[in-house]
Amino acid sequence: MKHLDKPNMDALEVLISSKENIRSKELKQKIEESKDFFKRRYNHYDNYATLGTFNILVNRNYNNIVKRVDQKANMILLYDKMTQEKTQVRKYYKTLREMTTKCPYCGFGTVSTLDHYLPKSKYPIYAVYPNNLVPSCYSCNTTKLASTDVTLHPYYDNVENEQWLFCEVICSDSIFFKYRVDQSVFNSSLYERIKTHFKVFDLQTSFTGFASDELSGYLQSIYTYLEQMNIDGLIADVKDRYDSNLAFKKNHWRTALYQALHNDSSWIEFLGK
Ligand SMILES: [Zn+2]
């Protein structure tokens, strides 16, 4: 999970700009008249998200919206205008998408779209709210889709400074890795969201695959140490790799991998057989 600064955009300006290319004069008028309503709702979102109480927003029932301006069809139309070429509002879509090249949800995918943190199908009111639009890779966007599981929000949560990702080395027929999220200094609701995030984006599967590839790429070097009976040299090399990854990112799958290889050296004996 990668933290991003909140978009530096005037949310009402985005809303007003998104109505410019729609045909219905009536809808344009309604949006113009509802600016205060949107402003209040946007403030709600920002306040709850800042406090980490997203579950309150998520549990709100929006099914009663029938004739109001924020009904689903209207809001999806506004968002569609944002994504279309040659519209004025497209510039906001582009700016948001270009905030980062790496997907903040998984930390490794390439950004190719915008994800509605609260899905537009269930929370149409936030369909063009910049703070609800997160640059993301295709895979994370489709995985999440209409899910209302409360994952980490890249604009509001910053969990990069404390370690919560750990790895375990398992030697059986071969060596494989198991990643886990562990409690540290976070409060229980943030900890739950980290765990949900890990599960929803199936980071276990991705990280396990990356770790196996990493070990395969390291094997030739490992065997050279073993042939030279230089176990201390191997342990020092693993420690170097751990330290340099730790200095880069505390919760990177590679950091957790080298930490595990350093803490538990049973794999050295396993490979030496
Ligand atoms: Zn992703």
Side-chain angles (χ1 to χ4, degrees), residues 135-194:
S136 107
C137 72
Y138 178 77
S139 169
C140 286
N141 182 240
T142 43
T143 303
K144 215 166 131 281
L145 223 58
S147 155
T148 47
D149 286 328
V150 186
T151 63
L152 293 169
H153 194 313
Y155 298 148
Y156 292 94
D157 296 315
N158 189 350
V159 291
E160 290 175 20
N161 296 328
E162 301 294 337
Q163 187 180 12
W164 49 265
L165 182 68
F166 295 86
C167 176
E168 193 186 335
V169 189
I170 298 161
C171 305
S172 61
D173 292 340
S174 62
I175 296 177
F176 62 98
F177 305 96
K178 205 172 167 199
Y179 282 83
R180 71 174 199 283
V181 171
D182 214 337
Q183 173 66 290
S184 60
V185 296
F186 302 113
N187 63 44
S188 58
S189 94
L190 186 53
Y191 178 51
E192 282 309 311
R193 273 190 296 136
I194 297 173

Side-chain angles (χ1 to χ4, degrees), residues 83-144:
T83 65
Q84 284 167 11
E85 299 284 350
K86 292 180 186 158
T87 56
Q88 273 288 323
V89 70
R90 167 118 180 143
K91 67 176 181 222
Y92 298 109
Y93 175 85
K94 253 183 114 232
T95 304
L96 288 165
R97 218 182 57 180
E98 288 166 3
M99 281 173 70
T100 176
T101 50
K102 247 188 203 154
C103 174
Y105 288 127
C106 61
F108 53 84
T110 304
V111 168
S112 63
T113 186
L114 287 183
D115 174 65
H116 287 83
Y117 177 82
L118 291 184
K120 60 183 182 305
S121 56
K122 291 189 178 144
Y123 308 91
I125 180 87
Y126 303 120
V128 296
Y129 179 41
N131 292 11
N132 191 47
L133 300 173
V134 179
S136 107
C137 72
Y138 178 77
S139 169
C140 286
N141 182 240
T142 43
T143 303
K144 215 166 131 281

